[in-house]
Amino acid sequence: MRITAIREHTIPVSRYADPAIPSGGLTTSLVAVTTDVIRDGKPVTGYGYASIGRFGQGGLIRERFAPRLLAARDGDLADDGGSHLDPLRAWDVMMAGEKPGGHGERCVAVGTLDMAIWDAAAKIAGLPLYRFLADKLGRDVPHAPRVAVYAGGGYQYPHDDLARLSDEMRRCVDLGFTHAKIKIASASLDQDLRRIEAAARPLASVNHLAIDAMNRFDLAAGLTAARALAGYGLLWFEDICDPLDFATQADIAAAYGGAIAAGEALFSQAEARLLVRHGGLSPARDVLVFDPVHCYGVPGYLRIIETMTAAGWARSAFWPHGGHLFSLHLCAALGLGGAEVTPFAFAPFCGLAEGLQVVQGHTGVPQAPGIGFETNPSIWREFQALH
């Protein structure tokens, strides 16, 4: 069992459905991991990408982690039977020699390759990823699971912000979403309150709307915002301040009193422990939005789940960030609360697999072997360009 080739390519992604709107130069890395296993006359290849929000990781992938996978000996990557790719052993190969700490964004490079390896392993087994992962972990899952989802987006528009935001939310509702999340803290607090009211109108109520401050508030601004927002009854208030400033987060959470979402910009089990101890969060109320790709992939994400559940959190509190098909599979396999979907932002990785629909805030999971990127034409075109 060998990995014979790894290809990486970095592409631009936009926060907006209209890519002409300036979006800060965001990029993401795409990878194709080719194995020596032949199916239907061709080597099995797994595909992955670096989620969104942290920029591409091409240098680390090409110079540090891909060479370790390519140099692995026969048997290093295989399961006990020797005939199937074992993503957990592949992860150990990637992390060989890495020192504790220093997470930076190496976790994203590892998570990108990890996604592709899970895709390849599930394809070799002939199973959709959620079924392959559940079997590997000894978990029971329905044959055709349904996953709760919400629509992510709602970035501030440079012109006609309120009208365009309202239109975006109406289109989300038309697609079958019942809950959505928008961004705040890019404008004045008064404008943020107007945005919340405009975005909530197409939804059943304001408690179907979450807000994301993108880690921008300091203590004074965060306390002011928390007091202004406390009466709305929002779904949750996400990423309030610097992700490692747990004292500020705890103070703002106490002043706010409503549901807080945290974890998107934390990447390791050690950081999750710090969040538990010092973040001022409540397992009975709050939400965890760790991104599985950014947390060193599935092995790192499983360790974070272990840490948080041991501290009293239910799996239903996990709503993974990223808006991608990979998270849908993990929610189905691991029994998580639900997942973000980005209907319009971050093309080509927006939307779902072809044929999947959102019905009353829930959607299915691709049934093709692997993750199912091949079932979304826009995504598949980008991955085919790697070859």
Side-chain angles (χ1 to χ4, degrees):
M1 174 65 61
R2 299 290 301 275
I3 290 174
T4 60
I6 297 175
R7 298 175 179 86
E8 182 276 339
H9 181 57
T10 298
I11 63 168
V13 290
S14 175
R15 295 181 172 94
Y16 300 97
D18 178 1
I21 299 175
S23 192
L26 280 175
T27 61
T28 191
S29 287
L30 283 62
V31 294
V33 174
T34 301
T35 73
D36 62 356
V37 177
I38 305 299
R39 293 285 187 271
D40 299 323
K42 298 184 294 185
V44 174
T45 299
Y47 298 93
Y49 82 105
S51 191
I52 49 92
R54 308 304 302 187
F55 296 94
Q57 304 295 319
L60 284 169
I61 290 169
R62 291 190 304 269
E63 298 171 13
R64 189 159 162 186
F65 297 107
R68 294 174 187 169
L69 291 168
L70 293 168
R73 300 169 299 177
D74 289 345
D76 286 352
L77 306 177
D79 62 9
D80 289 339
S83 58
H84 289 283
L85 177 62
D86 187 336
L88 300 178
R89 291 182 176 176
W91 191 89
D92 288 338
V93 169
M94 280 193 283
M95 291 296 292
E98 293 292 317
K99 295 180 178 180
H103 303 295
E105 293 190 6
R106 75 173 179 193
C107 47
V108 184
V110 172
T112 304
L113 290 165
D114 179 77
M115 183 195 290
I117 291 166
W118 282 100
D119 187 40
K123 287 173 178 173
I124 291 169
L127 296 171
L129 175 59
Y130 77 88
R131 174 68 60 184
F132 176 77
L133 177 56
D135 289 351
K136 193 167 188 66
L137 299 178
R139 294 182 57 84
D140 293 327
V141 293
H143 172 68
R146 304 285 294 174
V147 176
V149 293
Y150 71 89
Y155 289 91
Q156 184 179 19
Y157 292 93
H159 305 289
D160 303 320
D161 177 48
L162 296 181
R164 296 181 78 168
L165 176 63
S166 294
D167 178 66
E168 181 183 338
M169 293 297 106
R170 280 193 295 270
R171 287 185 290 150
C172 290
V173 171
D174 290 344
L175 288 172
F177 291 96
T178 57
H179 296 73
K181 182 175 76 181
I182 66 168
K183 310 300 180 183
I184 66 167
S186 294
S188 68
L189 180 57
D190 286 345
Q191 178 68 2
D192 282 338
L193 299 181
R194 286 190 286 268
R195 298 190 91 242
I196 289 168
E197 291 161 6
R201 287 190 196 105
L203 301 172
S205 69
V206 71
N207 61 21
H208 285 220
L209 181 70
I211 56 170
D212 179 353
M214 299 184 288
N215 305 112
R216 289 184 173 174
F217 287 132
D218 60 16
L219 179 59
L223 289 172
T224 300
R227 294 180 185 117
L229 296 168
Y232 279 90
L234 293 159
L235 183 62
W236 68 66
F237 183 6
E238 180 175 328
D239 287 346
I240 297 171
C241 58
D242 185 291
L244 293 176
D245 189 351
F246 299 114
T248 291
Q249 177 177 286
D251 287 346
I252 295 171
Y256 179 58
I260 300 292
E264 175 187 331
L266 301 177
F267 307 133
S268 69
Q269 185 179 32
E271 290 171 334
R273 291 194 186 105
L274 292 173
L275 180 66
V276 167
R277 293 170 187 163
H278 308 296
L281 301 186
S282 167
R285 179 195 64 197
D286 296 325
V287 178
L288 303 170
V289 290
F290 297 95
D291 188 314
V293 183
H294 294 171
C295 296
Y296 291 95
V298 172
Y301 193 63
L302 291 175
R303 292 172 184 175
I304 288 172
I305 291 174
E306 176 187 357
T307 292
M308 302 308 290
T309 54
W313 294 77
R315 286 177 179 247
S316 59
F318 283 83
W319 286 73
H321 165 267
H324 38 66
L325 297 178
F326 188 59
S327 285
L328 280 183
H329 282 280
L330 296 193
C331 286
L334 302 176
L336 308 182
E340 179 179 21
V341 171
T342 50
F344 310 116
F346 304 110
F349 295 100
C350 52
L352 297 165
E354 198 168 53
L356 289 184
Q357 294 181 324
V358 179
V359 179
Q360 295 182 339
H362 291 72
T363 191
V365 184
Q367 295 296 309
I371 296 171
F373 289 131
E374 294 85 348
T375 63
N376 182 308
S378 297
I379 295 175
W380 186 230
R381 280 193 296 271
E382 291 291 344
F383 280 127
Q384 285 295 92
L386 286 168
H387 299 288

